[in-house]
Amino acid sequence: MSNILKHLSLARGVVSARILLASFLLLTAMPRFTANDSSYFTKQLMAVGLPDLPWLSAAIGVVQLLTVLALFKPQNGWAQLMIYFYAGLAVVPLLMLFTHPVWIESLGGFPAIGAGQGLIKYLGISALAIFIASYYDGKQALNTVAEKLMLAGIVLVMAWIGGMKFTQYEADGIEGLMRTSPLFSWIYDFFSVLHGSYFIGVIELIAVVGIALVSWSNKAYGLGLAVAALTFAATQTFLITLPAYETSSTVPMLTGSGQFIVKDLALLACSILLFAKMLEKSKRAL
């Protein structure tokens, strides 16, 4: 992965990021038009005392599909506005960290995060959308802010979910994913369920440490981003091996677990863009 990233230009990185973000949006837009997702959004609204909006799920699906179209023509003003709009919409799930019971009470509540693991990924998703839109919009200051937010989004996910790997709750939760994947099942040949989770957690925290050294070591920073990118890419195998989709309808649809997994496509895009930016800055320094 690091060898592939070494040959990245920022322009190519942005194209790759557009494809990855569009893939995430398209895959998660299709379930928005199903009864299951409509019921999910109804429950979320009820949790905060808001009225039922039966059209909300489908409306979000339409926004996502329009954003996919915008990502194909990001040079156009309307497309940039659409991507900015989606970036704003993607911030809303982060607010659910404060309004919904996403903490694990048996582990003492905050910061033991349960259902909120999917929510914290939206910081990186929103930042990615802002980065792409501002790149084509020519807003350099906003692009720089988006770069920092992408970095924060990756660290937030890798540190928080990586830290959770040191709990029995998380170890049990990922066992089903790990055992079905040929990329990860071998871990249990050497480790117990809990210690296998520790192993994954250590790798994720190594990435965090490397990224945290951004101001001191490009090599460590690049390694951290490469490990993060590899992690986010590897999780996509769970879509097939779990499987994380259901075929009861005409078109295969992602399950809730599948939607959680494909969010990593956006975080993979963030890793790629940050690596490309690092290479660009290094070339300028020569």
Side-chain angles (χ1 to χ4, degrees):
M1 177 65 74
S2 59
N3 287 332
I4 295 173
L5 292 175
K6 282 181 182 178
H7 300 287
L8 271 179
S9 66
L10 181 57
R12 289 179 179 177
V14 173
V15 172
S16 298
R18 285 164 49 196
I19 293 171
L20 289 168
L21 180 58
S23 298
F24 154 70
L25 289 170
L26 181 60
L27 289 169
T28 54
M30 293 188 291
R32 299 285 180 259
F33 302 96
T34 65
N36 284 341
D37 264 37
S38 180
S39 174
Y40 168 80
F41 280 100
T42 294
K43 291 178 181 177
Q44 302 310 312
L45 291 172
M46 291 178 61
V48 292
L50 294 176
D52 179 20
L53 302 174
W55 46 266
L56 180 60
S57 180
I60 293 174
V62 169
V63 170
Q64 290 186 215
L65 292 175
L66 290 174
T67 306
V68 171
L69 293 176
L71 287 166
F72 281 98
K73 292 288 185 179
Q75 300 85 356
N76 294 342
W78 71 267
Q80 293 158 14
L81 288 175
M82 189 70 237
I83 299 170
Y84 281 132
F85 178 75
Y86 174 74
L89 184 65
V91 173
V92 175
L94 289 171
L95 302 178
M96 292 169 64
L97 292 170
F98 306 99
T99 60
H100 290 64
V102 298
W103 315 109
I104 305 171
E105 292 184 8
S106 62
L107 295 181
F110 178 85
I113 195 168
Q117 289 190 15
L119 301 178
I120 61 177
K121 294 183 179 183
Y122 278 100
L123 175 58
I125 292 169
S126 177
L128 173 63
I130 294 172
F131 186 96
I132 292 172
S134 60
Y135 175 85
Y136 288 99
D137 196 18
K139 292 196 166 50
Q140 185 56 49
L142 183 57
N143 194 257
T144 300
V145 171
E147 181 183 349
K148 296 182 184 304
L149 289 175
M150 288 194 300
L151 188 60
I154 292 174
V155 170
L156 179 69
V157 168
M158 295 293 283
W160 207 337
I161 298 180
M164 283 296 297
K165 295 293 191 298
F166 295 90
T167 67
Q168 187 69 55
Y169 177 94
E170 185 74 5
D172 293 338
I174 67 171
E175 183 183 5
L177 291 172
M178 303 275 283
R179 286 197 185 278
T180 61
S181 172
L183 290 182
F184 296 99
S185 59
W186 61 268
I187 291 174
Y188 295 118
D189 293 333
F190 299 93
F191 301 105
S192 66
V193 170
L194 182 59
H195 289 95
S197 183
Y198 288 175
F199 178 74
I200 296 297
V202 167
I203 292 175
E204 292 176 337
L205 294 182
I206 286 174
V208 172
V209 171
I211 292 171
L213 294 173
V214 56
S215 298
W216 295 276
S217 172
N218 266 358
K219 288 185 178 179
Y221 177 59
L223 177 62
L225 288 175
V227 172
L230 184 59
T231 301
F232 296 135
T235 59
Q236 301 312 299
T237 62
F238 297 144
L239 292 174
I240 305 300
T241 60
L242 187 57
Y245 60 91
E246 53 90 17
T247 57
S248 59
S249 56
T250 305
V251 179
M253 296 282 185
L254 291 177
T255 62
S257 296
Q259 294 185 47
F260 172 80
I261 291 167
V262 297
K263 289 174 184 175
D264 285 355
L265 289 175
L267 296 174
L268 172 58
C270 290
S271 302
I272 291 172
L273 283 174
L274 289 170
F275 203 100
K277 287 288 289 185
M278 181 194 72
L279 292 178
E280 182 186 66
K281 291 174 183 176
S282 296
K283 290 176 182 177
R284 287 178 181 174
L286 294 177

